[in-house]
CSV table of all heavy atoms in Angstrom, one decimal:
chain,number,residue,atom,x,y,z
A,1,MET,N,119.8,22.6,36.6
A,1,MET,CA,118.6,23.4,36.9
A,1,MET,C,118.6,24.7,36.1
A,1,MET,O,119.6,25.4,35.9
A,1,MET,CB,118.7,23.8,38.4
A,1,MET,CG,117.5,24.6,38.9
A,1,MET,SD,117.7,25.1,40.6
A,1,MET,CE,116.2,25.9,40.9
A,2,LYS,N,117.4,24.9,35.5
A,2,LYS,CA,117.1,26.2,34.8
A,2,LYS,C,115.9,26.8,35.4
A,2,LYS,O,114.9,26.1,35.8
A,2,LYS,CB,116.9,25.9,33.3
A,2,LYS,CG,118.1,25.2,32.6
A,2,LYS,CD,117.7,24.9,31.2
A,2,LYS,CE,118.7,24.1,30.4
A,2,LYS,NZ,118.2,23.7,29.1
A,3,VAL,N,115.8,28.1,35.4
A,3,VAL,CA,114.7,28.8,35.8
A,3,VAL,C,114.2,29.8,34.9
A,3,VAL,O,115.1,30.4,34.1
A,3,VAL,CB,114.9,29.4,37.2
A,3,VAL,CG1,115.1,28.4,38.3
A,3,VAL,CG2,116.0,30.4,37.2
A,4,THR,N,112.9,30.2,35.0
A,4,THR,CA,112.5,31.3,34.2
A,4,THR,C,111.4,32.0,35.0
A,4,THR,O,110.8,31.5,36.0
A,4,THR,CB,111.8,30.8,32.8
A,4,THR,OG1,111.6,32.0,32.0
A,4,THR,CG2,110.6,30.1,33.0
A,5,VAL,N,111.1,33.3,34.7
A,5,VAL,CA,110.1,34.1,35.3
A,5,VAL,C,108.9,34.2,34.4
A,5,VAL,O,109.1,34.7,33.2
A,5,VAL,CB,110.7,35.4,35.7
A,5,VAL,CG1,109.6,36.3,36.4
A,5,VAL,CG2,111.9,35.3,36.7
A,6,ASP,N,107.7,33.9,34.9
A,6,ASP,CA,106.5,34.1,34.1
A,6,ASP,C,106.1,35.6,34.3
A,6,ASP,O,105.7,36.0,35.3
A,6,ASP,CB,105.4,33.2,34.8
A,6,ASP,CG,104.1,33.3,34.0
A,6,ASP,OD1,103.9,34.3,33.3
A,6,ASP,OD2,103.2,32.4,34.2
A,7,GLU,N,106.3,36.2,33.1
A,7,GLU,CA,106.1,37.7,33.2
A,7,GLU,C,104.7,38.1,33.5
A,7,GLU,O,104.4,39.2,33.9
A,7,GLU,CB,106.6,38.4,31.9
A,7,GLU,CG,105.9,38.0,30.6
A,7,GLU,CD,106.6,38.5,29.4
A,7,GLU,OE1,107.8,38.4,29.3
A,7,GLU,OE2,105.9,39.1,28.6
A,8,ASP,N,103.7,37.2,33.2
A,8,ASP,CA,102.3,37.4,33.4
A,8,ASP,C,102.0,37.3,34.9
A,8,ASP,O,101.1,38.0,35.4
A,8,ASP,CB,101.4,36.5,32.7
A,8,ASP,CG,101.5,36.6,31.2
A,8,ASP,OD1,101.7,37.8,30.8
A,8,ASP,OD2,101.3,35.7,30.5
A,9,ARG,N,102.8,36.6,35.7
A,9,ARG,CA,102.6,36.5,37.1
A,9,ARG,C,103.5,37.5,37.9
A,9,ARG,O,103.0,38.0,39.0
A,9,ARG,CB,103.0,35.1,37.6
A,9,ARG,CG,101.9,34.1,37.3
A,9,ARG,CD,102.4,32.7,37.8
A,9,ARG,NE,101.4,31.7,37.8
A,9,ARG,CZ,100.6,31.3,38.8
A,9,ARG,NH1,100.9,31.9,40.0
A,9,ARG,NH2,99.7,30.4,38.8
A,10,CYS,N,104.7,37.8,37.4
A,10,CYS,CA,105.6,38.6,38.2
A,10,CYS,C,105.0,40.0,38.5
A,10,CYS,O,104.4,40.6,37.5
A,10,CYS,CB,106.9,38.8,37.5
A,10,CYS,SG,108.1,39.9,38.3
A,11,ALA,N,105.0,40.5,39.7
A,11,ALA,CA,104.5,41.8,40.1
A,11,ALA,C,105.6,42.7,40.6
A,11,ALA,O,105.3,43.8,41.2
A,11,ALA,CB,103.4,41.6,41.1
A,12,GLY,N,106.8,42.3,40.3
A,12,GLY,CA,108.0,43.1,40.6
A,12,GLY,C,108.3,43.3,42.1
A,12,GLY,O,108.9,44.2,42.6
A,13,HIS,N,108.0,42.2,42.9
A,13,HIS,CA,108.2,42.3,44.4
A,13,HIS,C,109.8,42.4,44.7
A,13,HIS,O,110.2,42.9,45.7
A,13,HIS,CB,107.6,41.1,45.1
A,13,HIS,CG,106.2,41.1,45.1
A,13,HIS,ND1,105.4,42.1,45.8
A,13,HIS,CD2,105.3,40.3,44.4
A,13,HIS,CE1,104.1,41.8,45.5
A,13,HIS,NE2,104.0,40.8,44.8
A,14,GLY,N,110.6,41.8,43.8
A,14,GLY,CA,112.0,41.8,44.0
A,14,GLY,C,112.7,40.9,45.0
A,14,GLY,O,113.9,41.0,45.2
A,15,MET,N,111.9,40.0,45.6
A,15,MET,CA,112.5,39.1,46.5
A,15,MET,C,113.6,38.2,45.8
A,15,MET,O,114.6,37.9,46.4
A,15,MET,CB,111.4,38.1,47.1
A,15,MET,CG,110.4,38.8,47.9
A,15,MET,SD,111.1,39.4,49.4
A,15,MET,CE,111.3,37.8,50.3
A,16,CYS,N,113.3,37.9,44.5
A,16,CYS,CA,114.3,37.0,43.8
A,16,CYS,C,115.6,37.8,43.7
A,16,CYS,O,116.7,37.1,43.8
A,16,CYS,CB,113.7,36.6,42.5
A,16,CYS,SG,113.1,38.0,41.5
A,17,LEU,N,115.6,39.1,43.4
A,17,LEU,CA,116.9,39.8,43.2
A,17,LEU,C,117.6,39.9,44.5
A,17,LEU,O,118.8,39.9,44.6
A,17,LEU,CB,116.5,41.2,42.8
A,17,LEU,CG,116.2,41.4,41.3
A,17,LEU,CD1,114.7,40.9,41.0
A,17,LEU,CD2,116.4,42.8,40.8
A,18,THR,N,116.8,40.0,45.6
A,18,THR,CA,117.6,40.0,47.0
A,18,THR,C,118.2,38.7,47.3
A,18,THR,O,119.3,38.6,47.8
A,18,THR,CB,116.4,40.4,48.0
A,18,THR,OG1,115.9,41.7,47.7
A,18,THR,CG2,117.1,40.5,49.4
A,19,LEU,N,117.4,37.6,47.0
A,19,LEU,CA,117.9,36.3,47.5
A,19,LEU,C,118.9,35.7,46.5
A,19,LEU,O,119.7,34.9,46.9
A,19,LEU,CB,116.6,35.3,47.6
A,19,LEU,CG,115.7,35.7,48.7
A,19,LEU,CD1,114.4,34.9,48.5
A,19,LEU,CD2,116.3,35.4,50.0
A,20,CYS,N,118.8,36.1,45.3
A,20,CYS,CA,119.7,35.4,44.3
A,20,CYS,C,120.0,36.4,43.1
A,20,CYS,O,119.7,36.3,42.0
A,20,CYS,CB,119.0,34.2,43.7
A,20,CYS,SG,120.0,33.1,42.7
A,21,PRO,N,120.8,37.4,43.5
A,21,PRO,CA,121.1,38.5,42.5
A,21,PRO,C,122.0,38.0,41.3
A,21,PRO,O,122.0,38.7,40.3
A,21,PRO,CB,121.8,39.6,43.3
A,21,PRO,CG,122.4,38.8,44.5
A,21,PRO,CD,121.4,37.7,44.8
A,22,GLU,N,122.6,36.8,41.5
A,22,GLU,CA,123.5,36.3,40.4
A,22,GLU,C,122.6,35.9,39.3
A,22,GLU,O,123.1,35.6,38.1
A,22,GLU,CB,124.3,35.2,40.9
A,22,GLU,CG,125.3,35.6,42.1
A,22,GLU,CD,124.7,35.4,43.4
A,22,GLU,OE1,123.5,35.3,43.5
A,22,GLU,OE2,125.5,35.5,44.4
A,23,VAL,N,121.4,35.5,39.6
A,23,VAL,CA,120.5,34.9,38.5
A,23,VAL,C,119.4,35.8,38.0
A,23,VAL,O,119.0,35.8,36.9
A,23,VAL,CB,119.9,33.6,39.1
A,23,VAL,CG1,118.8,33.0,38.1
A,23,VAL,CG2,121.0,32.6,39.4
A,24,PHE,N,118.9,36.7,38.9
A,24,PHE,CA,117.8,37.5,38.6
A,24,PHE,C,118.1,39.0,38.4
A,24,PHE,O,118.9,39.5,39.2
A,24,PHE,CB,116.6,37.4,39.6
A,24,PHE,CG,116.1,35.9,39.8
A,24,PHE,CD1,116.6,35.1,40.7
A,24,PHE,CD2,115.1,35.4,38.8
A,24,PHE,CE1,116.2,33.7,40.8
A,24,PHE,CE2,114.7,34.1,39.0
A,24,PHE,CZ,115.2,33.3,39.9
A,25,GLU,N,117.5,39.6,37.5
A,25,GLU,CA,117.6,41.1,37.4
A,25,GLU,C,116.3,41.6,37.0
A,25,GLU,O,115.4,40.9,36.5
A,25,GLU,CB,118.7,41.5,36.3
A,25,GLU,CG,118.5,41.0,35.0
A,25,GLU,CD,119.6,41.4,34.0
A,25,GLU,OE1,120.7,41.8,34.5
A,25,GLU,OE2,119.4,41.3,32.8
A,26,MET,N,116.1,42.9,37.2
A,26,MET,CA,114.9,43.6,36.9
A,26,MET,C,114.9,44.1,35.5
A,26,MET,O,115.8,44.8,35.1
A,26,MET,CB,114.5,44.7,37.9
A,26,MET,CG,113.1,45.1,37.9
A,26,MET,SD,112.0,43.8,38.5
A,26,MET,CE,112.1,43.9,40.3
A,27,SER,N,113.9,43.8,34.7
A,27,SER,CA,113.8,44.4,33.4
A,27,SER,C,113.3,45.9,33.5
A,27,SER,O,112.8,46.3,34.5
A,27,SER,CB,112.8,43.6,32.5
A,27,SER,OG,111.5,43.9,32.9
A,28,ASP,N,113.5,46.6,32.4
A,28,ASP,CA,113.0,48.0,32.3
A,28,ASP,C,111.5,48.0,32.5
A,28,ASP,O,110.9,49.1,32.9
A,28,ASP,CB,113.5,48.7,31.1
A,28,ASP,CG,115.0,48.9,31.0
A,28,ASP,OD1,115.6,48.8,32.1
A,28,ASP,OD2,115.5,49.0,29.9
A,29,ASP,N,110.9,46.9,32.2
A,29,ASP,CA,109.4,46.9,32.3
A,29,ASP,C,108.9,46.6,33.7
A,29,ASP,O,107.7,46.5,33.9
A,29,ASP,CB,108.9,45.9,31.3
A,29,ASP,CG,109.2,46.3,29.8
A,29,ASP,OD1,109.0,47.4,29.5
A,29,ASP,OD2,109.7,45.4,29.1
A,30,GLY,N,109.8,46.3,34.6
A,30,GLY,CA,109.4,46.1,35.9
A,30,GLY,C,109.2,44.7,36.4
A,30,GLY,O,108.5,44.5,37.5
A,31,TRP,N,109.5,43.8,35.7
A,31,TRP,CA,109.5,42.4,36.1
A,31,TRP,C,110.8,41.7,36.0
A,31,TRP,O,111.7,42.2,35.3
A,31,TRP,CB,108.5,41.5,35.3
A,31,TRP,CG,108.6,41.3,33.9
A,31,TRP,CD1,109.6,40.6,33.3
A,31,TRP,CD2,107.9,42.0,32.8
A,31,TRP,NE1,109.5,40.7,31.9
A,31,TRP,CE2,108.4,41.6,31.6
A,31,TRP,CE3,106.8,42.8,32.7
A,31,TRP,CZ2,108.0,41.9,30.4
A,31,TRP,CZ3,106.3,43.2,31.6
A,31,TRP,CH2,106.9,42.8,30.3
A,32,ALA,N,111.0,40.7,36.7
A,32,ALA,CA,112.3,40.0,36.9
A,32,ALA,C,112.5,39.1,35.6
A,32,ALA,O,111.6,38.6,35.0
A,32,ALA,CB,112.3,39.1,38.1
A,33,VAL,N,113.8,39.0,35.3
A,33,VAL,CA,114.3,38.1,34.3
A,33,VAL,C,115.4,37.3,34.8
A,33,VAL,O,116.3,37.8,35.5
A,33,VAL,CB,114.8,39.0,33.1
A,33,VAL,CG1,115.3,38.1,32.0
A,33,VAL,CG2,113.8,40.0,32.5
A,34,ALA,N,115.3,36.0,34.5
A,34,ALA,CA,116.3,35.1,35.0
A,34,ALA,C,117.4,34.8,33.9
A,34,ALA,O,117.1,34.8,32.7
A,34,ALA,CB,115.6,33.7,35.3
A,35,THR,N,118.6,34.6,34.4
A,35,THR,CA,119.7,34.2,33.4
A,35,THR,C,119.3,32.9,32.7
A,35,THR,O,118.9,31.9,33.4
A,35,THR,CB,121.0,34.0,34.3
A,35,THR,OG1,121.3,35.0,35.1
A,35,THR,CG2,122.1,33.6,33.3
A,36,PRO,N,119.3,32.9,31.4
A,36,PRO,CA,119.0,31.7,30.7
A,36,PRO,C,120.0,30.6,30.8
A,36,PRO,O,121.2,30.9,31.1
A,36,PRO,CB,118.8,32.2,29.2
A,36,PRO,CG,119.7,33.4,29.1
A,36,PRO,CD,119.7,34.0,30.5
A,37,GLY,N,119.6,29.4,30.6
A,37,GLY,CA,120.5,28.3,30.5
A,37,GLY,C,120.7,27.7,31.9
A,37,GLY,O,120.2,28.1,32.9
A,38,GLU,N,121.6,26.6,31.9
A,38,GLU,CA,121.8,25.9,33.1
A,38,GLU,C,122.5,26.7,34.2
A,38,GLU,O,123.5,27.4,33.8
A,38,GLU,CB,122.6,24.7,32.8
A,38,GLU,CG,122.8,23.6,33.9
A,38,GLU,CD,121.5,22.8,34.2
A,38,GLU,OE1,120.7,22.7,33.3
A,38,GLU,OE2,121.4,22.3,35.3
A,39,LEU,N,122.0,26.7,35.4
A,39,LEU,CA,122.7,27.5,36.4
A,39,LEU,C,123.8,26.7,37.0
A,39,LEU,O,123.8,25.5,37.1
A,39,LEU,CB,121.7,27.7,37.6
A,39,LEU,CG,120.4,28.4,37.3
A,39,LEU,CD1,119.6,28.7,38.5
A,39,LEU,CD2,120.7,29.8,36.6
A,40,PRO,N,124.9,27.4,37.4
A,40,PRO,CA,126.0,26.8,38.1
A,40,PRO,C,125.4,26.1,39.4
A,40,PRO,O,124.5,26.6,40.1
A,40,PRO,CB,126.9,27.9,38.5
A,40,PRO,CG,126.6,29.1,37.6
A,40,PRO,CD,125.1,28.9,37.3
A,41,ALA,N,126.0,24.9,39.8
A,41,ALA,CA,125.5,24.2,40.9
A,41,ALA,C,125.4,25.0,42.2
A,41,ALA,O,124.6,24.9,43.1
A,41,ALA,CB,126.3,23.0,41.1
A,42,ASP,N,126.4,25.9,42.3
A,42,ASP,CA,126.5,26.6,43.6
A,42,ASP,C,125.4,27.7,43.7
A,42,ASP,O,125.3,28.4,44.7
A,42,ASP,CB,127.9,27.2,43.8
A,42,ASP,CG,128.3,28.2,42.7
A,42,ASP,OD1,127.6,28.3,41.7
A,42,ASP,OD2,129.3,28.9,42.9
A,43,LEU,N,124.7,27.9,42.6
A,43,LEU,CA,123.6,28.9,42.7
A,43,LEU,C,122.2,28.3,42.8
A,43,LEU,O,121.2,29.0,43.0
A,43,LEU,CB,123.5,29.8,41.4
A,43,LEU,CG,124.8,30.8,41.3
A,43,LEU,CD1,124.7,31.5,40.0
A,43,LEU,CD2,124.9,31.7,42.5
A,44,GLU,N,122.2,26.9,42.8
A,44,GLU,CA,120.9,26.3,42.8
A,44,GLU,C,120.1,26.5,44.2
A,44,GLU,O,118.9,26.7,44.1
A,44,GLU,CB,121.0,24.8,42.6
A,44,GLU,CG,121.4,24.4,41.1
A,44,GLU,CD,121.4,22.9,40.8
A,44,GLU,OE1,121.0,22.2,41.8
A,44,GLU,OE2,121.7,22.6,39.7
A,45,SER,N,120.8,26.5,45.3
A,45,SER,CA,120.2,26.7,46.6
A,45,SER,C,119.5,28.1,46.6
A,45,SER,O,118.4,28.2,47.1
A,45,SER,CB,121.2,26.5,47.7
A,45,SER,OG,120.6,26.8,48.9
A,46,ALA,N,120.3,29.1,46.2
A,46,ALA,CA,119.7,30.5,46.2
A,46,ALA,C,118.5,30.6,45.2
A,46,ALA,O,117.5,31.3,45.5
A,46,ALA,CB,120.8,31.5,45.9
A,47,ALA,N,118.7,29.9,44.1
A,47,ALA,CA,117.6,30.0,43.1
A,47,ALA,C,116.3,29.3,43.7
A,47,ALA,O,115.2,29.8,43.5
A,47,ALA,CB,118.0,29.3,41.8
A,48,LYS,N,116.5,28.2,44.4
A,48,LYS,CA,115.3,27.5,45.0
A,48,LYS,C,114.7,28.4,46.1
A,48,LYS,O,113.5,28.5,46.3
A,48,LYS,CB,115.7,26.2,45.6
A,48,LYS,CG,116.0,25.2,44.4
A,48,LYS,CD,116.4,23.8,44.9
A,48,LYS,CE,116.7,22.9,43.8
A,48,LYS,NZ,117.3,21.6,44.2
A,49,ASP,N,115.5,29.2,46.8
A,49,ASP,CA,115.1,30.1,47.9
A,49,ASP,C,114.1,31.1,47.2
A,49,ASP,O,113.1,31.5,47.7
A,49,ASP,CB,116.2,30.8,48.6
A,49,ASP,CG,116.7,29.9,49.7
A,49,ASP,OD1,116.1,28.9,50.0
A,49,ASP,OD2,117.7,30.3,50.3
A,50,ALA,N,114.6,31.6,46.0
A,50,ALA,CA,113.9,32.6,45.3
A,50,ALA,C,112.5,32.0,44.8
A,50,ALA,O,111.5,32.7,44.9
A,50,ALA,CB,114.7,33.1,44.1
A,51,ILE,N,112.5,30.8,44.3
A,51,ILE,CA,111.3,30.2,43.9
A,51,ILE,C,110.3,30.1,45.1
A,51,ILE,O,109.1,30.4,44.9
A,51,ILE,CB,111.6,28.8,43.4
A,51,ILE,CG1,112.3,28.8,42.0
A,51,ILE,CG2,110.2,27.9,43.2
A,51,ILE,CD1,112.9,27.5,41.5
A,52,ALA,N,110.8,29.7,46.2
A,52,ALA,CA,110.0,29.4,47.4
A,52,ALA,C,109.4,30.7,47.9
A,52,ALA,O,108.4,30.7,48.6
A,52,ALA,CB,110.8,28.7,48.4
A,53,ASN,N,110.2,31.8,47.7
A,53,ASN,CA,109.8,33.1,48.4
A,53,ASN,C,109.1,34.1,47.5
A,53,ASN,O,108.7,35.2,47.9
A,53,ASN,CB,111.0,33.7,49.0
A,53,ASN,CG,111.4,33.0,50.3
A,53,ASN,OD1,110.8,33.1,51.4
A,53,ASN,ND2,112.4,32.1,50.2
A,54,CYS,N,108.9,33.8,46.2
A,54,CYS,CA,108.2,34.7,45.4
A,54,CYS,C,106.8,34.7,45.7
A,54,CYS,O,106.1,33.7,45.7
A,54,CYS,CB,108.4,34.3,43.9
A,54,CYS,SG,107.3,35.3,42.8
A,55,PRO,N,106.2,35.9,46.1
A,55,PRO,CA,104.8,36.0,46.6
A,55,PRO,C,103.8,35.6,45.4
A,55,PRO,O,102.7,35.3,45.7
A,55,PRO,CB,104.6,37.4,47.0
A,55,PRO,CG,106.0,38.0,47.2
A,55,PRO,CD,106.9,37.2,46.2
A,56,GLU,N,104.2,35.7,44.2
A,56,GLU,CA,103.3,35.4,43.1
A,56,GLU,C,103.5,34.0,42.4
A,56,GLU,O,102.9,33.7,41.5
A,56,GLU,CB,103.5,36.5,42.0
A,56,GLU,CG,103.4,37.9,42.5
A,56,GLU,CD,102.1,38.3,43.0
A,56,GLU,OE1,101.1,37.7,42.6
A,56,GLU,OE2,102.0,39.3,43.8
A,57,GLN,N,104.4,33.3,43.0
A,57,GLN,CA,104.8,32.0,42.4
A,57,GLN,C,105.1,32.1,40.9
A,57,GLN,O,104.7,31.4,40.1
A,57,GLN,CB,103.7,31.0,42.6
A,57,GLN,CG,103.6,30.3,44.0
A,57,GLN,CD,102.5,30.9,44.8
A,57,GLN,OE1,101.4,31.0,44.4
A,57,GLN,NE2,102.8,31.3,46.1
A,58,ALA,N,105.9,33.2,40.6
A,58,ALA,CA,106.2,33.5,39.2
A,58,ALA,C,107.4,32.9,38.7
A,58,ALA,O,107.7,32.9,37.5
A,58,ALA,CB,106.3,35.0,39.1
A,59,ILE,N,108.2,32.3,39.6
A,59,ILE,CA,109.5,31.7,39.1
A,59,ILE,C,109.3,30.2,38.9
A,59,ILE,O,108.7,29.5,39.8
A,59,ILE,CB,110.6,31.9,40.1
A,59,ILE,CG1,110.7,33.4,40.4
A,59,ILE,CG2,111.9,31.4,39.6
A,59,ILE,CD1,111.6,33.7,41.6
A,60,VAL,N,109.6,29.7,37.8
A,60,VAL,CA,109.4,28.3,37.3
A,60,VAL,C,110.7,27.7,37.1
A,60,VAL,O,111.5,28.2,36.4
A,60,VAL,CB,108.5,28.3,36.1
A,60,VAL,CG1,108.2,26.9,35.7
A,60,VAL,CG2,107.2,29.1,36.4
A,61,GLU,N,110.8,26.5,37.7
A,61,GLU,CA,112.0,25.6,37.3
A,61,GLU,C,111.6,24.9,36.0
A,61,GLU,O,110.6,24.3,35.8
A,61,GLU,CB,112.3,24.7,38.4
A,61,GLU,CG,113.5,23.9,38.2
A,61,GLU,CD,113.9,23.0,39.3
A,61,GLU,OE1,113.4,23.1,40.4
A,61,GLU,OE2,114.8,22.1,39.2
A,62,ILE,N,112.6,24.9,35.1
A,62,ILE,CA,112.4,24.2,33.8
A,62,ILE,C,113.2,22.9,33.8
A,62,ILE,O,114.3,22.9,34.3
A,62,ILE,CB,113.0,25.1,32.7
A,62,ILE,CG1,112.5,26.5,32.7
A,62,ILE,CG2,112.6,24.5,31.3
A,62,ILE,CD1,113.1,27.5,31.8
A,63,ASP,N,112.6,21.9,33.2
A,63,ASP,CA,113.3,20.6,33.1
A,63,ASP,C,114.5,20.8,32.2
A,63,ASP,O,114.3,21.4,31.1
A,63,ASP,CB,112.4,19.5,32.6
A,63,ASP,CG,111.3,19.2,33.6
A,63,ASP,OD1,111.6,19.3,34.9
A,63,ASP,OD2,110.2,18.7,33.3
A,64,SER,N,115.6,20.3,32.5
A,64,SER,CA,116.7,20.4,31.7
A,64,SER,C,116.7,19.4,30.5
A,64,SER,O,116.0,18.4,30.6
A,64,SER,CB,118.1,20.1,32.5
A,64,SER,OG,118.1,20.9,33.6
B,101,F3S,FE1,108.6,39.0,40.3
B,101,F3S,FE2,108.5,37.2,42.2
B,101,F3S,FE3,110.8,38.3,41.7
B,101,F3S,S1,107.0,38.7,41.8
B,101,F3S,S2,110.3,40.3,41.0
B,101,F3S,S3,109.6,37.0,40.3
B,101,F3S,S4,110.0,37.8,43.8
């Protein structure tokens, strides 16, 4: 599983950082950035929680 944040959609709500801080961090510009590359399997559940709870639907799962 890989994820990315659509910077045009992200409004900086920060739910992703709360739910999955191992994968998401806030950029200096105020939107979230996801760790690139394949996520460790033990982080997939938290990453999916972040996808489901982003109010802007800004987090996208990328096909591996
Ligand atoms: Fe942005 Fe959604 Fe996270 S709006 S900061 S990707 S919860």
Side-chain angles (χ1 to χ4, degrees):
M1 178 183 186
K2 300 177 188 174
V3 294
T4 190
V5 176
D6 182 342
E7 65 188 49
D8 292 331
R9 281 180 170 260
C10 176
H13 293 293
M15 296 290 289
C16 52
L17 284 77
T18 301
L19 292 168
C20 190
E22 298 88 348
V23 173
F24 299 96
E25 62 181 14
M26 196 65 84
S27 74
D28 292 341
D29 297 314
W31 61 71
V33 178
T35 304
E38 189 70 24
L39 300 183
D42 62 347
L43 293 179
E44 288 189 4
S45 176
K48 287 178 180 174
D49 278 351
I51 290 170
N53 285 282
C54 172
E56 309 294 338
Q57 283 103 46
I59 307 168
V60 180
E61 185 173 349
I62 310 170
D63 290 334
S64 307

